[in-house]
């Protein structure tokens, strides 16, 4: 799915940086400025909610907007995502 979304956004002339783990995502956000983050809940290692929590803790309102994606939506995950600012 990530490959598909990456191609779709690139086809619309958007610059896309795809990373495959939560830890790499945090590192990328620390090293560069992004207009938005698409964040999968089910990442290997650090999951998407942990990444979102860490972004909120370290960057607060200065972080880019985050859209959380998941193949298996659950109310508790959605509520926590919103609480963390997604």
């Amino acid at each position: 799915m990530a490959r598909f979304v990456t191609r779709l956004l690139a086809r619309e002339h958007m610059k896309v940086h795809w990373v495959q783990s939560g830890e790499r995502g945090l590192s990328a956000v620390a090293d560069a400025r992004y207009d938005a983050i698409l964040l999968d809940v089910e990442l290997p290692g650090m999951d998407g909610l942990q990444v979102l929590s860490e972004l909120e803790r370290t960057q607060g309102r200065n972080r880019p907007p985050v859209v959380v994606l998941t193949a298996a939506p659950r109310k508790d995950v959605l509520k926590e995502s919103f609480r963390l600012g997604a």
Side-chain angles (χ1 to χ4, degrees):
M1 181 58 87
R3 205 170 276 131
F4 171 75
V5 171
T6 298
R7 287 184 194 145
L8 182 67
L9 293 173
R11 193 171 30 203
E12 295 298 319
H13 308 289
M14 295 180 194
K15 186 176 179 182
V16 179
H17 182 193
W18 172 28
V19 297
Q20 298 178 4
S21 74
E23 294 85 357
R24 287 183 180 159
L26 285 174
S27 178
V29 172
D31 293 341
R33 169 107 172 94
Y34 293 92
D35 293 325
I37 298 171
L38 297 178
L39 181 62
D40 190 349
V41 171
E42 298 179 25
L43 293 170
M46 179 183 269
D47 72 31
L49 290 179
Q50 291 171 311
V51 171
L52 187 56
S53 180
E54 185 65 14
L55 286 172
E56 185 65 19
R57 186 184 72 74
T58 59
Q59 297 187 7
R61 296 187 188 267
N62 294 324
R63 68 166 169 73
V66 177
V67 176
V68 173
L69 306 172
T70 180
R74 296 186 344 239
K75 282 187 179 182
D76 60 325
V77 170
L78 296 173
K79 287 172 77 172
E80 184 66 5
S81 297
F82 286 127
R83 187 188 73 74
L84 293 169

